[in-house]
Amino acid sequence: MSSTARNASKKNIFKPMSEIDLTSREVSHQCGVTMNDSVEARAIAEFMEENNPNVTVTYNPATIRIDGEGKLIFKMDEITEYLGREMTAEIFEVNTSTHYGRMVRVDDNTVILFGDMNEVMEFI
C-alpha cells in the first residue's frame, strides 16, 4: 500500500510479517471486499463507513477495500438512495473485484459477507 493511500485513509488493517504468528490457531472473523475505484465504489465505501463504526475503508491508487468484523451487510436500496441512482446486487458484484469471507446474496436487495463461517450455515 502506498503511503499516500495509507495517509488518505488514516487506517491500516495490515500487519507487518514480523507481527504475524503463523503458529497461532486463532481464527479471524474478518470479511471484506475490494472494489475497483469508481463512483459507485466510492459511494458504497463512504456509505458503509458512515453507517457502520466497525468498517475500515482503505483507499489505494486503483482500488478501495472495505473490511469489517463479523459480517458486512450491503443493502442496495440504502446505497441507491445515498448514490442518487440505482444500485443493484448485480452492479455491486460487478464492481467487486474480490472478496474474503462468505458472500451470500439473500435477495435482490441484500448482499451479506460473513466472517464467521458458522453464522453463514443458515443460508447454505
Side-chain angles (χ1 to χ4, degrees), residues 27-117:
V27 175
S28 167
H29 291 292
Q30 288 186 304
C31 57
V33 296
T34 301
M35 307 182 100
N36 293 321
D37 193 355
S38 67
V39 171
E40 292 85 1
R42 285 183 178 268
I44 293 166
E46 290 171 8
F47 176 79
M48 293 299 288
E49 193 170 36
E50 287 177 14
N51 291 286
N52 187 338
N54 298 321
V55 166
T56 301
V57 175
T58 306
Y59 294 91
N60 296 311
T63 62
I64 300 171
R65 283 184 57 118
I66 303 170
D67 299 285
E69 184 77 25
K71 68 181 166 186
L72 292 173
I73 302 172
F74 297 90
K75 295 279 196 176
M76 299 307 120
D77 59 347
E78 294 173 356
I79 296 169
T80 292
E81 186 175 326
Y82 187 84
L83 178 61
R85 64 176 184 240
E86 185 179 26
M87 173 59 65
T88 64
E90 291 84 5
I91 295 170
F92 175 82
E93 289 179 23
V94 166
N95 279 284
T96 302
S97 58
T98 189
H99 71 277
Y100 66 102
R102 298 283 185 180
M103 183 182 282
V104 176
R105 183 171 166 182
V106 178
D107 54 34
D108 287 341
N109 187 57
T110 310
V111 176
I112 304 176
L113 274 168
F114 292 91
D116 183 348
M117 296 306 131

